[in-house]
Amino acid sequence: YNDKSVLENHHASTGLQILQVVPQNNFLSHLDKKTTLNFRRLVTMMVLATDMAFHFQLQNDFDQKLAVVGQEKVNLSEPTNRDLLLQQLLHGADLSNCGQPWHLAQKWGKVVVEEFFDQGDKEKALSLPVLPLNDREKSTVASLQHGFIEAICVPMYDVMSRLLPDLKTLLEHSRKNAAKWKTIMDSEQASKSTTKS
């Protein structure tokens, strides 16, 4: 994939291949070629939009083209607006663990960060450089989750919920979860300071 959105390209490609390889899975088989090609285009476009490398550009485009004009003025018959909304919705769903009730957000937050730390452990074992995000000696679950929710999820769900008010729950939970992670982070830092003294 030319080192561009490798994981996302792989996911889109594999998902579409499964439809072709396993005939009973191919729910597109009854569609005409034009509709099938449009479906493939949409799936690929939406899955590629989940790459965090494009988060801020997607967020800016969504904010500028859709959310700023208000729900009643968004022209969803315009294909570029529809595509942008679909991209933002899947991206928002991809990150939605942050906007779940605390018991779910905490569980998934730990799972995600542990995956980062496992990668960092493997990189260290291979004497490769390790990003602070992946280094369990330099970061904590609480600090990473708090920072991610504050910088990424809250602004994203704020814009999305202005266009789609039913998504406000994701924003509210994200704010509450960021506050809980901050409390844990502050407690960890205080404990570290006490230990050093």
Side-chain angles (χ1 to χ4, degrees), residues 1 4 36 87 107 112 168 171-173 177 182 191:
Y1 304 110
K4 293 194 185 341
T36 301
Q87 288 175 307
K107 174 185 173 182
V112 168
K168 199 145 191 98
L171 175 62
E172 291 165 358
H173 281 305
N177 293 336
K182 176 132 179 40
S191 176

Side-chain angles (χ1 to χ4, degrees), residues 54-191:
F54 303 119
H55 170 80
F56 291 105
Q57 183 61 53
L58 178 63
Q59 184 68 33
N60 184 58
D61 290 349
F62 186 76
D63 194 17
Q64 295 300 313
K65 292 181 183 175
L66 296 177
V68 170
V69 298
Q71 183 177 5
E72 67 285 348
K73 297 179 184 175
V74 175
N75 180 3
L76 292 177
S77 64
E78 172 63 39
T80 56
N81 288 350
R82 258 195 332 268
D83 288 356
L84 188 57
L85 177 60
L86 290 170
Q87 288 175 307
Q88 185 72 10
L89 286 171
L90 188 60
H91 183 51
D94 188 41
L95 304 180
S96 66
N97 63 295
C98 298
Q100 299 303 312
W102 174 246
H103 71 282
L104 294 172
Q106 181 185 33
K107 174 185 173 182
W108 284 106
K110 289 178 179 179
V111 168
V112 168
V113 173
E114 190 55 41
E115 185 178 325
F116 295 157
F117 289 164
D118 287 347
Q119 178 179 331
D121 295 345
K122 289 174 184 163
E123 290 167 341
K124 280 182 185 178
L126 295 169
S127 299
L128 295 171
V130 180
L131 294 171
L133 166 79
N134 297 345
D135 192 336
R136 68 177 74 243
E137 295 171 18
K138 294 182 180 172
S139 298
T140 67
V141 173
S143 66
L144 291 173
Q145 283 298 299
H146 175 259
F148 184 77
I149 294 171
E150 285 289 325
I152 302 294
C153 297
V154 168
M156 177 179 64
Y157 293 133
D158 181 47
V159 172
M160 289 175 72
S161 66
R162 280 188 265 141
L163 179 64
L164 302 167
D166 288 345
L167 299 180
K168 199 145 191 98
T169 302
L170 291 168
L171 175 62
E172 291 165 358
H173 281 305
S174 292
R175 286 181 172 146
K176 289 176 187 174
N177 293 336
K180 288 185 180 189
W181 285 120
K182 176 132 179 40
T183 299
I184 293 169
M185 182 179 69
D186 291 347
S187 174
E188 290 171 346
Q189 288 174 346
S191 176

